[in-house]
Amino acid sequence: MGITNLFRDLPESVPEELFQTLIESGSVRIERIVSEGHASPPGFWYDQSMDEFVVLLQGSAVLQIEGEDQPQVLQPGDFVNLPAHRKHRVESTDPHGKTVWLAIHYPS
C-alpha cells in the first residue's frame, strides 16, 4: 500500500456522517469519520463494545460523555480515549465545513 492522506478524497457533500474503515487487523479497527453539521439523534448514545481512541483532525465538535456535567468542545488536535461501554454522543459538528476524525477501536 502506498502513501495516502486522511484529507484526500473528502466528499463534496456529506448528507450522512461517513465512516470509512482504513485498516482492520485482528481486533483493531482504524476509521476515518467525516461529519458536516451532524449530531447524534435525540436520545441516542453510542455504547460500543471496544475501547475507542478518537482524535479530531479538522473542524470542530461537541461531545457529551455520560456522567460528565458539561459537554466537551473539541478542536483540531484534541483527543479522547473512551473505555468500552462509556456512553457518549455527538452534540454537534461544524456546520460550515467538514469535521474529520480518526478513530481507533481496540480491545480492553
Side-chain angles (χ1 to χ4, degrees):
M1 179 176 176
I3 294 173
T4 191
N5 187 293
L6 290 168
F7 303 109
R8 187 177 298 149
D9 300 325
L10 292 175
E12 289 210 19
S13 67
V14 188
E16 294 184 17
E17 200 165 39
L18 178 65
F19 295 83
Q20 297 174 299
T21 298
L22 303 175
I23 296 172
E24 191 162 12
S25 178
S27 56
V28 175
R29 184 175 78 252
I30 302 174
E31 295 178 315
R32 176 177 77 169
I33 305 167
V34 182
S35 311
E36 189 170 14
H38 295 98
S40 299
F44 174 83
W45 291 83
Y46 289 98
D47 183 1
Q48 297 164 310
S49 62
M50 296 179 74
D51 290 355
E52 179 183 18
F53 174 86
V54 63
V55 60
L56 192 121
L57 302 173
Q58 174 181 298
S60 63
V62 178
L63 185 68
Q64 179 69 56
I65 300 171
E66 186 178 56
E68 294 187 4
D69 293 335
Q70 298 294 318
Q72 303 296 314
V73 177
L74 302 176
Q75 300 295 327
D78 291 341
F79 64 89
V80 63
N81 193 57
L82 298 161
H85 300 292
R86 182 76 188 264
K87 292 183 180 178
H88 59 285
R89 55 180 280 107
V90 177
E91 294 291 331
S92 65
T93 60
D94 187 347
H96 304 293
K98 292 177 182 63
T99 296
V100 180
W101 317 70
L102 184 69
I104 303 170
H105 302 268
Y106 63 97
S108 297

